[in-house]
Amino acid sequence: MNQETVTAPGEPTVGTAHFRTTFPTTARGAHTARHAAERWLATVADDDMATPSLLIAELTANAALHGRVHGRNARLVLTLTSATLRIEVTDARGERLPAPPQDAEAPATGESGRGLLLVTSLADAWGCEPYPPGGKTVWAECARGARCPLRGARLPAPPRS
């Protein structure tokens, strides 16, 4: 179920606007949630949405991949204020906490292992909180008015096939 608080298109956000949706912890569910969030953001903010879109995509994909519990959905919540966008993804796997990258080097081979490096590089802040009784919420924040810059992290090229 989507719950939205919407301001008129083209008007600045005053106060706080919220978006919330649940999604199945599948690749398709994460994809659908991301696109719904992007459509909502396009109606309430005229900021550059490239960075928020990447953060939403990564956090929802991680929930689908690492937070899957049969029969349980994940939840995506966006909170937009005049200063920040906060992205929260809650899943049912509280025992599987994200581990921050130890350094800027991700594995040179393989198809995964770069997601949290991307989140660390793009978000102004991110973290993980318990969500009782057994889940977790992974969140990221990005300042509005300026793009969240890459902070000097070198993202390794994906392996060539």
Side-chain angles (χ1 to χ4, degrees):
M1 175 172 133
N2 288 337
Q3 297 177 355
E4 302 179 13
T5 304
V6 180
T7 57
E11 289 191 19
T13 301
V14 178
T16 303
H18 298 278
F19 171 86
R20 174 189 213 140
T21 190
T22 58
F23 62 96
T25 50
T26 63
R28 182 178 177 102
H31 176 83
T32 301
R34 176 179 62 113
H35 283 287
E38 288 171 343
R39 284 191 303 272
W40 178 78
L41 281 169
T43 67
V44 297
D46 55 3
D47 302 5
D48 177 10
M49 289 298 131
T51 297
S53 292
L54 286 170
L55 291 169
I56 292 165
E58 186 56 40
L59 295 181
T60 56
N62 280 352
L65 181 64
H66 303 293
R68 186 176 191 156
V69 172
H70 184 70
R72 302 279 304 272
N73 287 335
R75 183 181 67 215
L76 169 63
V77 175
L78 304 181
T79 304
L80 184 68
T81 68
S82 60
T84 62
L85 170 66
R86 183 176 174 99
I87 303 159
E88 298 178 354
V89 178
T90 302
D91 65 50
R93 297 290 302 264
E95 77 281 6
R96 294 192 74 181
L97 300 177
Q102 296 301 316
D103 55 35
E105 296 297 320
T109 60
E111 296 180 8
S112 64
R114 295 173 188 84
L116 289 178
L117 180 59
L118 181 67
V119 171
T120 300
S121 298
L122 293 176
D124 288 316
W126 78 276
C128 182
E129 300 167 353
Y131 187 82
K136 68 179 175 299
T137 298
V138 181
W139 58 269
E141 290 183 349
C142 190
R144 294 191 64 198
R147 289 179 35 210
C148 296
L150 288 173
R151 291 181 173 67
R154 296 183 58 202
L155 298 177
R160 296 182 183 203
S161 30

